[in-house]
Amino acid sequence: MHRLWNRIDFAFSSAWQNFWRNAAVSIASVLIVWVVLLALGSLLLVLHSLDQIVALEKTKASAISVYLADTTPLSSAMDFKLHLESDPRVSSVEYVSKDQAMARFRQLPALDPSVIDTLGTNPLPASLDVTVKDIRDLGAIDQEVRTSPLVDKSPATNYEPNVIDKIILLARVAGIAGLVLIIGLTGLSIFIIMLTIRTAIYLRRKEIEVMKLVGATDWFVRWPFIVEGLIVGVVGAVVAVLIVGFGYRPAVVNLQSVLIFVPLAFDPYYLRVVLAAMLGFGLLLGSVGSYLGVRRFLKQ
Amino acid sequence: MPATITTQPTRTTLLPAKARVAAVVPAASQISLQGVQKTYPNGTVALRDVSLEIPKQDFVFLVGPSGAGKSTLVRLLIREEKVTAGSIYVEGQDLSRLKRRHLPYLRRKIGMVFQDFKLLPNLTVFNNVGFALRVTEGALRHLKPKVEEVLSIVGLEGKEGKYPDQLSGGEQQRVAIARALVHDPRIFLADEPTGNLDPATSWEIIQLLLQINARGTTVLMATHNREIVDVMRRRVVAIEGGQIVRDEDAGGYHAPALESH
């Protein structure tokens, strides 16, 4: 127990001394770790947000809203509804009145109700929300309903065939670009941590010589440097974790107020996973970098 | 005086090196070199064919001109270097077969001091000595009494809090000796320990080594100090050009034949 404590105490106090003895290099490696982890955390959260949007768009994808002109009488609208319901490709049709549309609109997050009240009249059209059995029939139905005189012309429906594909493509591009960036930064940070450890070994060369002379084991000599690498990883990770941890919710709220129709949501569970991943990756960078540092330079 | 066995194998033998050395395994020897050759990667031949037996509690001077191979011999004994051919046994252990992870335990059996002391300038006397125990994972509660014990052996009581640059050369070498003693080594190697010291201080260091020897530790001292070797009349092993040219009990720095000239 005493021996283990001695080993831990020696490794940590030496590592701490090393860290401050070449403070400039140590802080450079902390910064690069911080940048890597900030990029990693941001990328994971952005991809998650895009996932949220894709998931919601997919549930909406089998339905379109057919907007009715304000001049359409309710009886004509109901005939049109029956006509659509008789179509074998359609699974259900729901009538949404102007008032119902307004009620729904008011429920959108991050929308200031007082802005709507200043409008005076209700600009939203009534609609028939058509759900199809097969998404691939959506385009054909969209074409047909547009020919009806009952249908509003600007716009006729909310049919946007490419929106999901676009978001998926965006997520894919963002994911690949982010991954390439993170791989590059990871290599760079491991290299810089390695240099930091090399510098520390150089500054300690006399101690190391004496340690080997009096019979210290290889691992006893190595541990302080491994711990120094871990300290670099942890410090960089903690700063990045704090920024991402406290920055995620304000970022989501701000984006929601700009992109009111985009269904972004703050996801505390996923945030915890991301923060844990960042911390783990920071430790990994520190240990790999320092292991490479000691492996090459403490050989004999 | 312990008996010494000097084997100088004939160079004309047709037996391969390994078969030749296997024939000589003296159980009494603490250090045994058998047909040791050392060639450095750059091609320098440091030791050609060295066989040497050092029994327990012996006190041996290793003499010879610079570059004769004295330092190489010392480095081979702590396995800082490996032999090119032949073999070295320390306490019956074949150093060429010693695994790297067992090397630290060999070093703990061997106390070493050097001409340049190798003290850590940023540590006090107490911590320089304690360092050797700390880094070999000795239990910390035994550290203080042990350090005090070895510092009293070398006569440095009261200097525990000084830093190396506040000490004289002789005192610094005493700190190095104290550090070499913390593991109660069975073998004590001194590589030119008086090389940087004035004659009076050198004698004090020699007295200390004799005291360590009297406590039962084998001492091997590589030196250029002719006066000390001649006065002591201890066993002298002379190396020249990578070979042992003389090995005698109660010897002088130079061979008697040369001294008569």
Side-chain angles (χ1 to χ4, degrees):
Chain A
M1 202 57 213
H2 272 83
R3 280 158 198 250
L4 181 66
W5 174 244
N6 174 36
R7 182 187 268 254
I8 293 170
D9 178 47
F10 185 86
F12 273 83
S13 52
S14 306
W16 193 242
Q17 276 174 21
N18 287 354
F19 187 89
W20 291 110
R21 209 185 269 188
N22 53 348
V25 191
S26 306
I27 287 167
S29 45
V30 167
L31 281 178
I32 183 79
V33 169
W34 175 70
V35 169
V36 177
L37 295 178
L38 208 57
L40 177 74
S42 312
L43 179 74
L44 288 176
L45 289 175
V46 165
L47 291 181
H48 182 63
S49 302
L50 290 173
D51 263 2
Q52 284 180 335
I53 297 168
V54 169
L56 206 98
E57 290 295 330
K58 270 186 177 157
T59 65
K60 292 201 306 189
S62 57
I64 50 169
S65 293
V66 178
Y67 300 119
L68 301 173
D70 280 358
T71 52
T72 310
L74 187 61
S75 56
S76 312
M78 284 303 144
D79 287 344
F80 192 33
K81 179 171 182 275
L82 283 171
H83 167 70
L84 285 171
E85 276 170 347
S86 65
D87 192 308
R89 296 168 297 181
V90 171
S91 68
S92 70
V93 182
E94 191 197 349
Y95 175 76
V96 179
S97 71
K98 283 175 74 76
D99 289 345
Q100 283 166 332
M102 179 49 96
R104 280 188 193 180
F105 187 61
R106 279 175 185 278
Q107 278 169 8
L108 282 177
L111 196 71
D112 189 353
S114 62
V115 175
I116 305 165
D117 293 338
T118 60
L119 292 172
T121 57
N122 179 358
L124 298 175
S127 65
L128 290 172
D129 288 358
V130 182
T131 308
V132 293
K133 289 169 186 158
D134 189 331
I135 295 178
R136 283 167 294 188
D137 295 327
L138 219 50
I141 290 175
D142 176 68
Q143 287 304 309
E144 283 172 33
V145 297
R146 278 170 191 274
T147 58
S148 164
L150 304 177
V151 171
D152 197 357
K153 292 292 175 260
S154 57
T157 72
N158 67 349
Y159 181 62
E160 279 178 274
N162 294 325
V163 72
I164 297 177
D165 291 346
K166 277 180 188 158
I167 292 168
I168 290 172
L169 185 69
L170 178 66
R172 203 165 283 166
V173 169
I176 290 168
L179 202 65
V180 168
L181 181 76
I182 285 167
I183 288 171
L185 287 173
T186 297
L188 187 65
S189 63
I190 286 175
F191 181 69
I192 289 178
I193 293 171
M194 211 176 85
L195 290 182
T196 309
I197 298 305
R198 256 199 249 183
T199 312
I201 290 171
Y202 179 77
L203 291 174
R204 287 231 177 237
R205 63 197 181 284
K206 281 191 94 169
E207 274 103 327
I208 292 170
E209 186 192 359
V210 173
M211 285 164 90
K212 296 198 157 184
L213 196 69
V214 300
T217 59
D218 286 345
W219 273 105
F220 195 93
V221 177
R222 282 180 198 143
W223 266 117
F225 301 104
I226 302 282
V227 170
E228 188 188 354
L230 291 177
I231 289 175
V232 167
V234 167
V235 173
V238 165
V239 179
V241 159
L242 288 177
I243 290 176
V244 172
F246 286 109
Y248 177 45
R249 191 196 288 266
V252 168
V253 169
N254 277 320
L255 272 173
Q256 270 176 346
S257 67
V258 179
L259 311 165
I260 33 179
F261 297 101
V262 177
L264 274 182
F266 176 72
D267 184 343
Y269 171 74
Y270 189 73
L271 180 65
R272 278 200 289 273
V273 173
V274 168
L275 297 184
M278 288 166 69
L279 197 62
F281 199 64
L283 284 170
L284 189 73
L285 289 178
S287 49
V288 170
S290 52
Y291 180 72
L292 292 178
V294 297
R295 199 188 56 157
R296 272 190 64 194
F297 298 96
L298 287 184
K299 261 290 162 184
Q300 202 60 56
Chain B
M1 256 309 131
T4 57
I5 308 151
T6 317
T7 39
Q8 198 70 15
T10 44
R11 245 164 285 151
T12 49
T13 178
L14 294 171
L15 284 169
K18 272 190 180 165
R20 197 173 65 212
V21 297
V24 196
V25 185
S29 290
Q30 194 169 27
I31 299 172
S32 170
L33 281 77
Q34 298 169 356
V36 168
Q37 293 175 31
K38 176 64 189 177
T39 307
Y40 285 105
N42 65 7
T44 311
V45 180
L47 295 176
R48 282 175 201 286
D49 187 1
V50 172
S51 295
L52 180 66
E53 300 296 332
I54 300 176
K56 275 192 180 117
Q57 297 187 32
D58 211 352
F59 190 111
V60 182
F61 285 116
L62 195 59
V63 301
S66 298
K70 301 194 300 289
S71 291
T72 298
L73 191 62
V74 168
R75 271 194 226 120
L76 289 172
L77 285 174
I78 57 168
R79 245 284 300 270
E80 212 176 297
E81 296 286 348
K82 281 184 173 180
V83 294
T84 311
S87 46
I88 299 179
Y89 291 87
V90 172
E91 298 209 309
Q93 192 164 36
D94 184 350
L95 294 195
S96 54
R97 287 200 200 147
L98 190 68
K99 291 200 175 80
R100 188 180 156 83
R101 67 193 157 90
H102 293 135
L103 194 52
Y105 307 98
L106 170 77
R107 302 260 170 98
R108 292 176 203 182
K109 284 188 209 166
I110 303 176
M112 271 241 48
V113 293
F114 299 87
Q115 184 171 2
D116 61 353
F117 319 135
K118 296 195 193 296
L119 299 177
L120 300 174
N122 55 333
L123 296 182
T124 62
V125 167
F126 185 93
N127 287 334
N128 259 291
V129 177
F131 187 77
L133 276 178
R134 268 206 94 178
V135 302
T136 50
E137 301 164 79
L140 285 183
R141 63 206 143 116
H142 298 139
L143 189 141
K144 194 161 184 280
K146 190 71 210 180
V147 173
E148 283 167 353
E149 180 198 324
V150 293
L151 282 176
S152 82
I153 291 174
V154 301
L156 282 180
E157 302 101 323
K159 305 261 183 185
E160 289 88 350
K162 299 264 193 235
Y163 285 87
D165 61 5
Q166 298 171 307
L167 300 176
S168 70
E171 286 170 326
Q172 291 186 48
Q173 192 59 289
R174 284 164 189 269
V175 177
I177 291 171
R179 183 179 65 194
L181 290 178
V182 288
H183 289 124
D184 298 318
R186 278 166 269 189
I187 297 165
F188 197 97
L189 300 181
D191 192 2
E192 306 272 4
T194 60
N196 281 342
L197 306 175
D198 60 63
T201 314
S202 297
W203 276 109
E204 288 171 22
I205 296 299
I206 295 300
Q207 291 306 317
L208 198 49
L209 294 183
L210 282 174
Q211 216 182 304
I212 290 162
N213 181 234
R215 285 157 46 97
T217 306
T218 309
V219 175
L220 177 66
M221 172 171 162
T223 185
H224 275 125
N225 196 320
R226 180 184 169 170
E227 193 205 346
I228 285 172
V229 175
D230 285 343
V231 171
M232 296 287 295
R233 308 315 289 182
R234 291 289 185 133
R235 181 179 173 191
V236 174
V237 173
I239 298 190
E240 255 171 62
Q243 295 175 71
I244 294 180
V245 294
R246 184 162 55 95
D247 182 354
E248 50 184 358
D249 290 340
Y253 192 86
H254 290 296
L258 288 171
E259 278 181 317
S260 64
H261 279 288

